[in-house]
Amino acid sequence: MGATAPKQYLPLQDATVIEASMSCFLRHPKISGVVVALHAQDHMWANLNISADKTVHTVVGGKSRAQSVNSALNKVSKLSKPDDFVLVHDAA
């Protein structure tokens, strides 16, 4: 995109892309939490209000999208029940 920041941190209305994307899931009554895979050197996440939400968990992502999803799923497996559903969403 040629932006100075990763696309998930670009502004979208009154938030960032990732905040706008996550907010619909966090408001849903049947979703109990969200796991976000972050780059190891991500320095922008901690500045977002959404990062303080107690239902949002983070993990360090991998070199590929598949590795990042796997890292998040490993975290989900520790937080969820065996019959829970898991949704995978690319924030950007």
Side-chain angles (χ1 to χ4, degrees):
M1 292 186 65
T4 58
K7 58 188 166 189
Q8 66 268 27
Y9 293 117
L10 295 178
L12 180 66
Q13 296 178 351
D14 296 328
T16 61
V17 171
I18 193 166
E19 289 172 307
S21 189
M22 287 177 57
S23 67
C24 64
F25 296 109
L26 292 171
R27 287 191 313 259
H28 196 285
K30 292 193 176 195
I31 294 180
S32 60
V34 173
V35 177
V36 180
L38 300 170
H39 188 278
Q41 279 96 37
D42 186 307
H43 61 280
M44 300 180 81
W45 171 258
N47 297 324
L48 302 180
N49 290 335
I50 206 165
S51 71
D53 188 309
K54 300 295 183 206
T55 63
V56 176
H57 307 273
T58 61
V59 295
V60 175
K63 292 182 180 183
S64 69
R65 183 167 298 171
Q67 290 172 335
S68 295
V69 170
N70 187 57
S71 202
L73 289 173
N74 284 333
K75 179 71 170 186
V76 167
S77 72
K78 297 172 186 167
L79 299 170
S80 62
K81 295 177 243 155
D83 60 345
D84 284 346
F85 285 92
V86 176
L87 307 170
V88 177
H89 186 276
D90 183 335

